Amino acid sequence: MAQAPTGRQDGGDPAGPGGYRQELKRTLGSFQVFAISFAFISVAVGIFATYDQVLLTSGPVGIWLWLIAAVGQTLVALVVAQFAARIPLSGSSYQWASRLASPRTGWWFGWLTFCYLAIAVVAMDSALASQAFMPLVGIAADEGTARLITLVALFAQALVAIASTRLVSWINSVAVGLEVVLVVLVAVALVVAVLVTGGGSAGNLTSRGVAVHAGDYFGVGGGLMLAMIMGLATLVGFDSAANLAEEAKDPYRSVPRAIVGSVLAAGTLGMLFLIALTFAIEDLPRISADPSPVAAILRERFGPAAESGLLVAISFAFFGAGVVVMVACSRLVYAMSRDGRFPAYRTMRRVNPRTRTPIPATLLILALGVALMVGLPGAALLELITASTILPALIYGATIVLYLAVRRRLDSKEGAFNLGRLELPVAVCALVWTLVALFVLVAPAEALVSVVIVAGLLVLGGLFFAGMLLFDRESLRRAPGHDEHEHAPDDRA
């Protein structure tokens, strides 16, 4: 029977959680763990980046699909939280599948998650440069300049991630607090402004706007279906708290609550923000044609100063989200490497004794980001980023299937998060929702290139997996938690 890992939670214990040495430092309290997941989701960033596409493809009425996505993703988060409450280890789904299915199955979970997180870092910073920072400082749209700013952001985030987990948590706590205040204040201010000055319309909330004459509006891959992507692309990454479980205090409670709470908070705040924004639109065709409609709405309602304030807050939120993604990805690399299941694992498993952070793993994520920014042309980079929206749906769907297969073999720690009798209906509903989400993401004709890219990533993973079977088969047999580097102290930093 799969037992929840036990052991001391202080540093230096060779019999630490899950059979590993406790090398990472436990510094994250409950709010800081919540901030990790909420910062990854970053509801203001997600809406800022996708609201224009909703107005163009479905019209304002498409915002209501956010509510459906929020409910569906909450179901997924509840299932993920069930695993996090039982096996709170860095590597999240990689650890869960390795321990409850097989090390080979776990490797595939780890590979998919690594691909998603490594691409997501670049996606976050690319959006930070082009959609927030450049408009803030008055730089005209230019791909070369945007790439340079993206590289600067990547290096800055790597320095933060290497320096201290506590510094990461402080930045994200500030970013989350700022974002929550921003969303609430802006939503209230917009409603008050419309009521006092007029110009907005409640009719916007049910309008198809510029998409009113779209012939395939209600069809498969049509405008209305495309509006769902805003919620699906934003309300992901809530499981990032699980990747930092070995740095959290009382992870059996704090991590599951952060996973579920972040989705509930983001879903609620996002819906309120969308309603207020849409209600405040005066000229639907003009706002729909604006490349940054959220900023345009605020500029028209409150003036240029409000737009600048929004862009400052959004830039900081983008940066914080990028830090979280980089840290989560580095912890996954570290987790796979200490089991000997990642390229150059002897280096990637090293934890610096002073900072208590996995520096080589973090530098790897930085190097991959730099390679993507320097090596890929604009169109290819955009397609890669778009393809990354499919990966979390695949990962979540596989995680739910795993849960349904092993749930009867799971034990619970007393006082830890537990759905009790609701676990089966919640898991079944979550699986149905994930299949719907995957269909929405791959059905549009425009998604063909993204599907091919995801298939290519799977083939690439298959090649490495085959190499491990040929040259290092034992690493895919050994149970996780076996301290593979216990006999090689010279490998440790």
Side-chain angles (χ1 to χ4, degrees):
M1 186 171 288
Q3 300 287 339
T6 58
R8 286 175 53 192
Q9 295 182 0
D10 56 319
D13 184 5
Y20 301 111
R21 281 195 293 269
Q22 180 66 39
E23 296 182 287
L24 304 174
K25 190 174 182 180
R26 292 194 182 275
T27 59
L28 303 178
S30 294
F31 178 77
Q32 292 164 322
V33 176
F34 166 82
I36 293 293
S37 285
F38 190 89
F40 193 123
I41 296 173
S42 194
V43 59
V45 167
I47 291 174
F48 191 89
T50 57
Y51 189 60
D52 59 334
Q53 290 302 309
V54 172
L55 294 180
L56 291 173
T57 58
S58 70
V61 69
I63 67 170
W64 296 107
L65 293 177
W66 173 279
L67 187 60
I68 296 175
V71 172
Q73 295 300 87
T74 299
L75 292 172
V76 176
L78 287 168
V79 177
V80 172
Q82 289 285 97
F83 273 133
R86 291 169 165 92
I87 307 176
L89 294 170
S90 296
S92 56
S93 59
Y94 157 73
Q95 289 283 2
W96 307 333
S98 295
R99 291 165 183 271
L100 300 172
S102 72
R104 295 182 182 186
T105 302
W107 187 90
W108 279 104
F109 273 80
W111 173 251
L112 285 174
T113 305
F114 168 73
C115 290
Y116 168 56
L117 294 175
I119 297 171
V121 176
V122 176
M124 289 281 188
D125 289 343
S126 181
L128 162 63
S130 62
Q131 298 180 33
F133 186 79
M134 290 173 67
L136 172 63
V137 298
I139 299 176
D142 177 75
E143 183 179 341
T145 304
R147 287 183 179 236
L148 180 60
I149 295 171
T150 301
L151 290 173
V152 172
L154 283 168
F155 276 98
Q157 288 162 343
L159 288 175
V160 170
I162 287 171
S164 166
T165 302
R166 188 182 295 277
L167 178 60
V168 171
S169 68
W170 179 85
I171 289 175
N172 282 296
S173 295
V174 173
V176 166
L178 179 63
E179 185 172 352
V180 170
V181 170
L182 171 73
V183 169
V184 172
L185 288 182
V186 168
V188 172
L190 282 172
V191 172
V192 171
V194 171
L195 293 177
V196 172
T197 65
S201 172
N204 291 341
L205 300 174
T206 55
S207 171
R208 288 169 59 177
V210 298
V212 66
H213 299 300
D216 60 347
Y217 186 81
F218 294 104
V220 173
L224 189 61
M225 179 183 288
L226 289 173
M228 179 77 79
I229 294 177
M230 176 169 64
L232 293 177
T234 302
L235 299 173
V236 294
F238 43 81
D239 52 321
S240 56
N243 261 325
L244 276 78
E246 291 179 43
E247 293 156 89
K249 302 172 183 176
D250 192 14
Y252 296 99
R253 296 179 179 85
S254 63
V255 173
R257 290 172 182 173
I259 290 171
V260 178
S262 62
V263 181
L264 290 173
T268 302
L269 288 174
M271 193 72 253
L272 294 175
F273 192 40
L274 286 168
I275 291 172
L277 283 172
T278 306
F279 179 56
I281 296 176
E282 293 190 62
D283 187 334
L284 267 175
R286 180 163 48 79
I287 292 296
S288 298
D290 195 290
S292 184
V294 176
I297 292 168
L298 295 184
R299 181 171 62 249
E300 291 186 359
R301 285 292 173 184
F302 307 121
E307 181 188 14
S308 297
L310 169 71
L311 290 173
V312 169
I314 291 294
S315 296
F316 192 74
F318 265 123
F319 184 82
V323 171
V324 167
V325 180
M326 182 174 286
V327 169
C329 193
S330 69
R331 291 341 184 240
L332 173 67
V333 171
Y334 161 75
M336 295 181 72
S337 296
R338 66 181 172 184
D339 289 332
R341 297 179 189 142
F342 197 85
Y345 66 87
R346 287 185 174 85
T347 298
M348 294 301 147
R349 69 192 176 199
R350 292 177 179 172
V351 173
N352 185 275
R354 185 176 63 84
T355 64
R356 303 285 289 276
T357 57
I359 294 179
T362 305
L363 292 177
L364 172 66
I365 312 308
L366 171 62
L368 287 174
V370 171
L372 291 176
M373 291 306 302
V374 173
L376 285 183
L381 181 63
L382 181 61
E383 293 290 355
L384 181 64
I385 291 173
T386 303
S388 70
T389 60
I390 299 174
L391 290 172
L394 284 174
I395 296 165
Y396 293 147
T399 301
I400 295 166
V401 170
L402 173 67
Y403 182 79
L404 288 170
V406 304
R407 68 182 187 87
R408 294 186 182 278
R409 295 192 283 114
L410 291 172
D411 277 347
S412 296
K413 183 179 177 66
E414 185 177 354
F417 181 88
N418 196 325
L419 288 176
R421 295 181 179 178
L422 293 177
E423 64 170 339
L424 181 58
V426 166
V428 171
C429 291
L431 180 60
V432 172
W433 161 252
T434 305
L435 294 175
V436 170
L438 271 172
F439 178 75
V440 169
L441 290 169
V442 304
E446 299 85 353
L448 177 60
V449 175
S450 297
V451 172
V452 171
I453 291 174
V454 171
L457 293 173
L458 290 172
V459 170
L460 182 62
L463 293 175
F464 180 73
F465 187 78
M468 294 182 70
L469 288 177
L470 288 173
F471 303 110
D472 192 15
R473 186 180 296 267
E474 179 58 30
S475 66
L476 292 174
R477 292 175 176 169
R478 186 171 48 244
H482 172 82
D483 204 345
E484 191 273 339
H485 61 288
E486 184 178 6
H487 304 295
D490 55 314
D491 279 337
R492 295 171 56 197

